Amino acid sequence: RKAIDGGSIEPTERDNFDPADDIIGPSVYTINQQFLLPLTAVDGPGGGLSWALMRHSQGLKCDLFVTHAWSEGIFEFIDKVLETWPK
């Protein structure tokens, strides 16, 4: 949300999402292209590290794997994961 509000993630011809929408959001394609790739680039702030290693430099044990459609809106995806997360 902060990256959309700050103008770092913007609608494109391929993904003309509504920046005011908090239900669907930009596609994962758009998040990857406009946010993750620049952040994790060798010459970017992450210095070539993956998003996962930027967040947890020692790594984490993986107990769960989630797959998704790249065309799915990121807010919709996050909401679905949180709704179905094992409790």
Side-chain angles (χ1 to χ4, degrees), residues 31-67:
I31 297 297
N32 187 55
Q33 191 68 37
Q34 295 183 25
F35 186 76
L36 293 175
L37 288 177
L39 187 66
T40 60
V42 173
D43 59 347
L49 288 176
S50 70
W51 173 257
L53 287 176
M54 285 176 57
R55 304 276 297 168
H56 304 280
S57 61
Q58 301 303 311
L60 292 174
K61 181 181 175 195
C62 181
D63 296 320
L64 186 69
F65 179 81
V66 178
T67 188

